[in-house]
Amino acid sequence: MLRRTIFAFFVVASATAAFVPADAQECDAAGTVGSGGSATAGGTSASTIGTAGTCRTDDGTTSSIGAGGSAATSEGKAKSQTKIDDNPSQLQGQSKAQAMDKGTFSKSQTKTKVTDDGLQSRTKTMSHVPGQKPTKSKTKTLIPLPQPE
């Protein structure tokens, strides 16, 4: 019993000694953005979401992005895809999801991006049952960031 107690104490002491937090820096400019949506019709559904955040300091800019989507149907076909692109001018995430069952369908698309000017996220959804008017929605969020002096 004594050996197990000493060993457990050693593991805890080693784990806490290894954790050394880094000094935090104040952001000169920072922001977060996100949007998402769902569409349903008949036995179909589709949902997408996107989020992003950025922090600009004297040492540079750090940004993160997340995107995802899902689609489901009781009898038809469902598909979803998500991609993240990173290049020197922007960080962008895009998610698309669609479910179809004969003429009934649901779809959702979210695009989120971080640029030097700010953050943006938009979502479009649509669902349709044959013989009825389609249901659509759009959301768009823009967060401008102050430019460095």
Side-chain angles (χ1 to χ4, degrees):
M1 180 71 173
L2 181 59
R3 276 188 172 171
R4 288 184 186 169
T5 306
I6 293 171
F7 178 70
F9 175 76
F10 176 73
V11 171
V12 171
S14 296
T16 54
F19 177 72
V20 179
D23 291 333
Q25 291 186 5
E26 291 288 326
C27 296
D28 298 328
T32 58
V33 70
S35 69
S38 297
T40 61
T44 66
S45 68
S47 301
T48 57
I49 189 169
T51 63
T54 192
C55 172
R56 188 184 303 144
T57 67
D58 293 337
D59 294 336
T61 301
T62 302
S63 299
S64 64
I65 197 161
S70 66
T73 181
S74 56
E75 294 185 24
K77 295 181 181 181
K79 65 180 179 177
S80 64
Q81 85 179 55
T82 299
K83 60 183 176 177
I84 305 290
D85 295 318
D86 180 19
N87 63 50
S89 64
Q90 71 180 4
L91 179 62
Q92 180 174 320
Q94 179 176 331
S95 237
K96 294 180 181 181
Q98 181 172 335
M100 296 177 288
D101 185 6
K102 298 180 181 141
T104 301
F105 70 89
S106 301
K107 62 182 179 177
S108 181
Q109 177 180 355
T110 299
K111 290 183 179 181
T112 304
K113 65 182 173 179
V114 179
T115 64
D116 290 337
D117 296 334
L119 302 104
Q120 175 180 322
S121 189
R122 68 181 177 127
T123 299
K124 296 179 185 180
T125 64
M126 181 178 173
S127 60
H128 179 65
V129 175
Q132 297 179 8
K133 186 177 177 181
T135 302
K136 299 178 183 182
S137 84
K138 290 182 186 181
T139 61
K140 186 173 184 177
T141 306
L142 298 168
I143 306 294
L145 293 177
Q147 296 304 308
E149 295 176 17

